[in-house]
């Protein structure tokens, strides 16, 4: 059945009475980022996601596709929903030397065990209270003063009571370690620095998408670089709050800080966390938590979720989902060049016990993706999508269907290129039945530009799919199975044979990537040393066959380079 009230959430997690006000005096302590994250997850899921879901009419549930990279720009701003940003440091604060601005709060245990910052703790409490009141809307000030007149505002035990007021304030809040090495609320009204221009240009130069003083190259590639950089930190190109959070996390990670940055956007309804983790060498770890509807769950999945009580709302099939991501360094020769982020794990959180399961695929479900594509083609899809700067509702006209298709192909381009042959075959079957249907040509003629956009996007994917096979062969993998050098060369020759006849119609960047991949195959050290550099008399029949195929591949490679050269002239 799910929960009947938001107050029931997490009531069966051990030692969390402080959250449910059963024992208000109970003090929760956290001394590490991981412990603090556990605390924040419980409090913020309850008060910032689940409470609004139960108390606000028509809460906009997050669609699974919204958590799939690349992330889409927001459709709406839900002003009645909560939003916040915070930063936490696993160290004491050094107020003057911090690299951002905030209003400081003081803990009684700020300087060391059993040592007060001042012999008059009442003055500290009054100063903290006044700091809060100065940043709160006037309508909340009296209520706040009454509620927190004698309560320690900086204690984590007070945080669940404080959070509804923090949500009414502008800017972020700050947590840090006190003298006893426990986290406390150390500041409010924080501004995260965002040197977007410098970071964007530096990153673009590093990945060789920009050149110094080259205005044309900058104009052509700026949006790509901007989107890639933001996606590395879990965001699309969006609001100032999330942009500054991403860039501040980038800066803190470069400085070697042990930190956590967390943002909830009123538009994305998703808690995004960026935090230091020793397993990540180059970037902070990224994860997102949201209330997600499970679309068309398979019978066994639905039965499991019902039987084990994992639905927050069984009727609407809503779950609390945490998604963990993995970053990818930019590689110009990767056919999925724009891939900065991919999903590494999905966790459904039990609404009572907090138990986590990670063996159910909700947002990468290929069956659901094809079903949605089918619905779009048939005009039966009732959702909304952003086509360029236009919000399109429903698919009741062919114009809307084409706009939906363009957005759908843009969103899932990487997946169509990289997923299984079965998935790819299902996608192409659905698309061909619509885009190549002779009865539809008159209708498509009415929307020439739109149809051409969709067809170009689809053609690029089909071409890239072939080159993706070459990428796999470079690693001697085919259909997810390891193959020998002979099979690798045979399959490469087969692909290049087809490619040389079709190359005239291929996109230039795809041909360039194909040439780069084949060059790496030809320069394979083991292949060179074991077979190519050996005299014929020293080779077995198998080795001679490899050497012969290698020569054929070199000839095809040279032919492809010549075609590219002629095409560019």
């Amino acid at each position: 059945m799910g929960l009947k009230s938001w107050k029931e959430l997490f009531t069966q997690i051990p030692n969390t009475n402080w959250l449910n006000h059963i024992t208000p005096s109970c003090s929760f302590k956290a001394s590490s980022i991981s412990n603090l994250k556990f605390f924040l997850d419980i409090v913020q899921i309850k008060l910032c996601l689940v409470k609004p879901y139960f108390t606000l009419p028509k809460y906009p549930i997050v669609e699974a596709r919204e958590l799939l990279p690349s992330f889409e720009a927001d459709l709406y701003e839900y002003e009645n929903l909560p939003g916040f940003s915070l930063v936490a440091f696993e160290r004491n604060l050094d107020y003057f030397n911090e690299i951002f601005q905030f209003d400081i709060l003081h803990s009684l245990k700020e300087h060391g065990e059993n040592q007060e910052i001042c012999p008059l703790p009442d003055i500290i409490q009054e100063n903290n209270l006044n700091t809060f009141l100065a940043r709160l809307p006037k309508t909340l000030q009296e209520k706040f003063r009454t509620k927190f007149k004698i309560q320690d505002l900086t204690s984590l035990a007070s945080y669940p009571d404080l959070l509804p007021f923090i949500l009414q304030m502008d800017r972020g809040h700050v947590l840090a370690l006190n003298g006893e090495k426990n986290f406390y609320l150390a500041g409010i009204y924080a501004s995260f620095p965002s040197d977007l221009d410098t970071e964007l240009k530096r990153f673009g130069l590093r990945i060789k998408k920009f050149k110094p003083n080259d205005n044309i190259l900058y104009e052509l590639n700026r949006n790509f670089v901007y989107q890639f950089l933001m996606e590395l930190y879990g965001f699309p190109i969006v609001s100032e709050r999330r942009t500054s959070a991403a860039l501040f996390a980038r800066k803190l990670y470069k400085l070697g800080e042990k930190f956590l940055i967390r943002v909830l956007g009123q538009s994305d309804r998703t808690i995004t966390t960026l935090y230091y983790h020793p397993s990540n060498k180059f970037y902070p770890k990224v994860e997102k938590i949201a209330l997600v509807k499970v679309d068309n769950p398979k019978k066994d999945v639905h039965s499991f979720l019902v039987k084990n009580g994992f639905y927050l709302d069984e009727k609407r099939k809503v779950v609390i989902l945490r998604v963990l991501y993995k970053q990818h360094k930019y590689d110009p020769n990767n056919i999925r060049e724009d891939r900065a982020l991919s999903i590494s794990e999905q966790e459904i959180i039990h609404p009572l016990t907090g138990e986590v399961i990670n063996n159910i695929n909700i947002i990468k479900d290929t069956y659901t993706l094809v079903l949605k594509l089918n619905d779009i083609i048939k005009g039966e899809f009732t959702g909304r999508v952003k086509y360029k700067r236009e919000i399109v509702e429903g698919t009741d006209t062919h114009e809307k269907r084409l706009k939906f298709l363009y957005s759908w192909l843009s969103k899932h381009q990487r997946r169509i290129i990289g997923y299984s042959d079965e998935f790819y075959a299902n996608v192409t079957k659905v698309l061909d039945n619509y885009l190549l249907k002779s009865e539809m040509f008159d209708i498509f003629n009415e929307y020439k530009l739109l149809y051409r956009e969709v067809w170009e996007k689809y053609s690029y994917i089909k071409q890239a799919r072939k080159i993706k096979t070459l990428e796999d062969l470079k690693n001697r993998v085919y259909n997810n199975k390891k193959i020998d050098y002979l099979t690798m060369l045979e399959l490469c020759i087969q692909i290049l044979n087809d490619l040389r006849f079709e190359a005239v119609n291929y996109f230039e960047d795809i041909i360039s990537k194909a040439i780069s991949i084949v060059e790496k195959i030809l320069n394979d050290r083991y292949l060179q040393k074991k077979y190519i550099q050996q005299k014929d008399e020293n080779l077995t029949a198998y080795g001679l066959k490899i050497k012969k195929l290698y020569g054929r591949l070199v000839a095809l490679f040279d032919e492809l380079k010549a075609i590219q050269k002629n095409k560019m002239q």
Side-chain angles (χ1 to χ4, degrees):
M1 289 295 292
L3 302 193
K4 293 180 181 177
S5 164
W6 65 272
K7 293 180 180 178
E8 294 177 30
L9 189 82
F10 298 148
T11 48
Q12 294 179 19
I13 297 180
N15 305 318
T16 54
N17 290 337
W18 43 267
L19 176 61
N20 304 298
H21 305 287
I22 298 168
T23 55
S25 62
C26 179
S27 177
F28 180 88
K29 292 183 179 180
S31 57
S32 67
I33 289 292
S34 58
N35 288 341
L36 178 69
K37 186 172 161 297
F38 167 77
F39 168 82
L40 293 173
D41 281 353
I42 292 173
V43 177
Q44 291 169 351
I45 291 172
K46 184 162 192 168
L47 298 179
C48 301
L49 298 181
V50 176
K51 183 180 178 182
Y53 177 79
F54 277 94
T55 55
L56 297 174
K58 295 183 180 178
Y59 179 89
I61 301 166
V62 173
E63 292 185 32
R65 66 179 174 81
E66 294 179 63
L67 299 177
L68 272 171
S70 60
F71 302 110
E72 300 165 347
D74 302 319
L75 296 176
Y76 296 108
E77 183 78 20
Y78 302 96
E79 293 180 2
N80 59 334
L81 293 183
F84 69 83
S85 56
L86 74 86
V87 61
F89 297 96
E90 197 177 294
R91 59 168 174 79
N92 303 127
L93 287 182
D94 184 4
Y95 196 25
F96 181 81
N97 291 309
E98 297 300 340
I99 57 172
F100 69 112
Q101 288 298 308
F102 61 97
D103 295 347
I104 194 165
L105 302 173
H106 290 289
S107 165
L108 297 177
K109 304 293 183 183
E110 194 165 326
H111 285 306
E113 192 171 351
N114 300 320
Q115 182 184 343
E116 297 177 353
I117 189 173
C118 167
L120 299 172
D122 291 345
I123 293 177
I124 296 174
Q125 172 64 14
E126 185 66 24
N127 286 340
N128 287 341
L129 194 69
N130 289 333
T131 301
F132 255 97
L133 290 171
R135 300 302 185 186
L136 275 174
K138 283 189 177 181
T139 52
L140 295 174
Q141 289 181 8
E142 190 54 42
K143 183 180 178 182
F144 185 85
R145 182 180 284 278
T146 304
K147 187 173 180 67
F148 294 103
K149 195 168 185 179
I150 59 171
Q151 192 172 337
D152 181 5
L153 294 172
T154 65
S155 168
L156 281 190
S158 300
Y159 188 79
D161 290 332
L162 271 176
L163 189 55
F165 293 95
I166 289 173
L167 295 175
Q168 301 302 315
M169 299 169 67
D170 291 327
R171 308 196 187 179
H173 52 293
V174 185
L175 294 106
L177 294 182
N178 62 18
E180 294 183 330
K181 300 196 182 303
N182 292 315
F183 276 99
Y184 74 106
L185 184 63
I188 57 172
Y189 208 67
S191 297
F192 299 161
S194 172
D195 190 2
L196 178 60
D197 179 68
T198 303
E199 284 296 328
L200 193 65
K201 287 172 180 171
R202 185 184 291 138
F203 183 70
L205 288 167
R206 184 160 65 81
I207 65 173
K208 297 181 180 177
K209 282 287 181 180
F210 300 157
K211 288 181 181 176
N213 305 315
D214 191 328
N215 293 323
I216 294 173
L217 202 60
Y218 179 68
E219 184 179 347
L220 287 171
N221 293 324
R222 179 184 169 275
N223 279 341
F224 175 91
V225 174
Y226 194 177
Q227 184 171 321
F228 194 97
L229 179 64
M230 286 300 295
E231 191 178 315
L232 282 171
Y233 297 88
F235 298 118
I237 299 172
V238 282
S239 65
E240 181 62 28
R241 174 189 280 167
R242 282 175 279 171
T243 301
S244 59
L247 295 177
F248 193 33
R250 181 176 175 83
K251 189 165 192 173
L252 293 177
Y253 202 80
K254 285 179 178 178
L255 292 171
E257 290 274 14
K258 291 185 178 180
F259 73 96
L260 176 148
I261 285 179
R262 177 164 281 193
V263 179
L264 170 63
Q266 289 173 297
S267 47
D268 68 349
R269 299 95 66 214
T270 301
I271 297 172
T272 302
T273 310
L274 300 154
Y275 59 101
Y276 164 84
H277 196 279
S279 67
N280 279 31
K281 282 187 176 181
F282 303 106
Y283 308 102
K285 215 165 182 64
V286 178
E287 67 175 55
K288 291 178 178 283
I289 302 174
L291 305 186
V292 176
K293 182 181 178 182
V294 184
D295 283 326
N296 302 306
K298 294 176 183 175
K299 283 186 179 179
D300 57 335
V301 169
H302 179 66
S303 299
F304 176 86
L305 295 175
V306 171
K307 182 181 176 183
N308 294 281
F310 274 94
Y311 277 124
L312 177 71
D313 183 340
E314 185 183 323
K315 186 178 178 181
R316 297 178 70 187
K317 299 185 178 69
V318 176
V319 296
I320 306 166
L321 186 69
R322 180 193 287 123
V323 184
L324 291 81
Y325 299 89
K326 177 184 178 183
Q327 287 104 336
H328 302 278
K329 293 184 77 174
Y330 175 75
D331 181 358
N333 295 317
N334 190 326
I335 197 63
R336 293 174 290 176
E337 183 187 9
D338 64 335
R339 186 178 73 150
L341 210 63
S342 62
I343 292 171
S344 63
E345 202 167 334
Q346 302 174 47
E347 298 178 343
I348 300 174
I349 302 171
H350 196 286
L352 289 175
T353 65
E355 179 193 351
V356 165
I357 53 167
N358 58 10
N359 58 344
I360 294 178
N361 186 352
I362 289 178
I363 55 177
K364 292 176 74 176
D365 188 347
T366 55
Y367 174 73
T368 304
L369 284 175
V370 176
L371 277 181
K372 281 189 178 178
L373 179 60
N374 240 319
D375 288 345
I376 292 168
I377 297 299
K378 291 177 181 176
E380 296 172 0
F381 194 78
T382 55
R384 65 174 71 97
V385 76
K386 195 168 185 178
Y387 166 75
K388 299 182 178 177
R389 293 187 178 182
E390 174 191 350
I391 293 174
V392 184
E393 298 263 6
T395 51
D396 50 316
T397 68
H398 287 288
E399 182 184 11
K400 287 182 179 179
R401 286 178 214 180
L402 288 170
K403 287 176 179 177
F404 258 81
L405 272 182
Y406 181 84
S407 297
W408 191 91
L409 288 169
S410 300
K411 172 73 177 176
H412 299 294
Q413 177 172 305
R414 305 171 191 171
R415 280 162 277 285
I416 303 169
I417 293 169
Y419 280 10
S420 70
D421 288 341
E422 183 187 359
F423 171 68
Y424 180 69
N426 288 332
V427 167
T428 53
K429 183 180 178 182
V430 174
L431 288 169
D432 288 349
N433 284 342
Y434 181 64
L435 295 173
L436 297 175
K437 203 172 186 177
S438 56
E439 303 95 284
M440 297 295 300
F441 286 166
D442 287 341
I443 294 169
F444 291 147
N445 207 39
E446 290 180 44
Y447 309 108
K448 273 184 184 176
L449 291 176
L450 197 52
Y451 180 75
R452 190 183 301 154
E453 276 185 340
V454 173
W455 190 253
E456 278 186 8
K457 183 69 71 174
Y458 183 32
S459 298
Y460 186 91
I461 289 168
K462 288 201 288 186
Q463 292 175 14
R465 176 81 185 187
K466 282 191 176 181
I467 308 308
K468 175 65 175 65
T469 306
L470 271 179
E471 266 186 349
D472 293 339
L473 291 174
K474 177 172 67 73
N475 300 315
R476 288 192 298 117
V477 173
Y478 187 69
N479 287 340
N480 293 321
K481 292 179 182 175
K482 201 74 177 170
I483 56 173
D484 58 21
Y485 277 98
L486 184 66
T487 310
M488 177 195 76
L489 290 170
E490 286 173 340
L491 290 168
C492 284
I493 288 167
Q494 189 179 317
I495 292 171
L496 255 65
N497 241 330
D498 295 338
L499 198 58
R500 63 179 174 151
F501 295 114
E502 301 167 3
V504 176
N505 301 316
Y506 265 57
F507 293 89
E508 283 184 23
D509 65 319
I510 287 184
I511 293 295
S512 296
K513 286 178 174 60
I515 288 170
S516 175
I517 292 165
V518 176
E519 192 168 20
K520 285 177 181 175
I521 291 170
L522 294 172
N523 291 331
D524 182 290
R525 284 184 183 181
Y526 182 83
L527 183 65
Q528 287 279 342
K529 187 176 180 181
K530 184 77 176 177
Y531 302 106
I532 310 308
Q533 294 170 3
Q534 296 290 333
K535 293 179 180 179
D536 289 357
E537 56 266 28
N538 295 333
L539 292 172
T540 62
Y542 175 84
L544 287 168
K545 195 169 184 181
I546 284 179
K547 200 169 185 180
K548 185 179 178 182
L549 288 173
Y550 182 91
R552 176 65 183 146
L553 187 61
V554 170
L556 287 169
F557 173 72
D558 290 340
E559 197 173 333
L560 194 62
K561 284 180 76 176
I563 292 169
Q564 185 197 36
K565 188 177 179 180
N566 290 332
K567 195 177 177 184
M568 291 172 71
Q569 286 176 351

